Amino acid sequence: MKYTEEHEWLLVEGDLVVVGITAHAAEQLGDVVFVELPEPGTEVTKDEEVVVIESVKAASDILAPLDGEIVEVNEAIVADPGKVNEDPEGDAWFFKMKVEDMGALDDLMDEAAYKDFIGA
């Protein structure tokens, strides 16, 4: 897994990258009550707002971690946003994307670097 400074995790699955938020991010948000996902087929650029997530504490945006195309979204977390709190680094992934440059993943943090980043 790779991690961003925006508390997203990325997992390579074949030629796709699965994106979600970390357990640390889910904990900081509190109980998630609403998730709005992008449409599959949406072209995104790095740092573009692609997901809106609302919790009892705050509203937050999830940014595209890399340039590419959204190819699949996780409708289960739209139907039941609480899944984001239950399994943020597993079943509660947000979207899958085709990344323009898989080499860009090398610029992201590994798990040890992310733990240092959050002070864990």
Side-chain angles (χ1 to χ4, degrees):
M1 250 187 217
K2 293 289 191 168
Y3 298 87
T4 71
E5 291 185 356
E6 288 75 35
H7 308 287
E8 297 164 331
W9 57 262
L10 291 80
L11 179 66
V12 176
E13 265 186 10
D15 65 343
L16 298 180
V17 175
V18 185
V19 180
I21 63 168
T22 64
H24 175 78
E27 191 178 297
Q28 296 298 311
L29 280 168
D31 294 337
V32 175
V33 295
F34 176 80
V35 177
E36 182 181 327
L37 297 172
E39 290 293 319
T42 303
E43 294 282 339
V44 296
T45 55
K46 184 179 186 309
D47 296 331
E48 178 182 342
E49 176 188 308
V50 290
V51 172
V52 176
I53 185 169
E54 294 179 9
S55 71
V56 292
K57 289 184 184 177
S60 186
D61 298 321
I62 307 299
L63 307 179
L66 302 165
D67 296 344
E69 177 188 355
I70 306 295
V71 295
E72 187 179 340
V73 296
N74 187 355
E75 294 292 347
I77 63 171
V78 174
D80 182 4
K83 287 183 185 297
V84 174
N85 298 107
E86 294 162 16
D87 191 11
E89 295 186 23
D91 288 341
W93 54 273
F94 282 64
F95 55 86
K96 295 182 182 181
M97 64 185 299
K98 271 189 192 158
V99 175
E100 286 181 13
D101 175 15
M102 291 294 258
L105 286 159
D106 296 338
D107 297 334
L108 302 176
M109 292 180 275
D110 62 14
E111 185 175 5
Y114 181 71
K115 283 185 173 178
D116 284 346
F117 177 71
I118 62 172

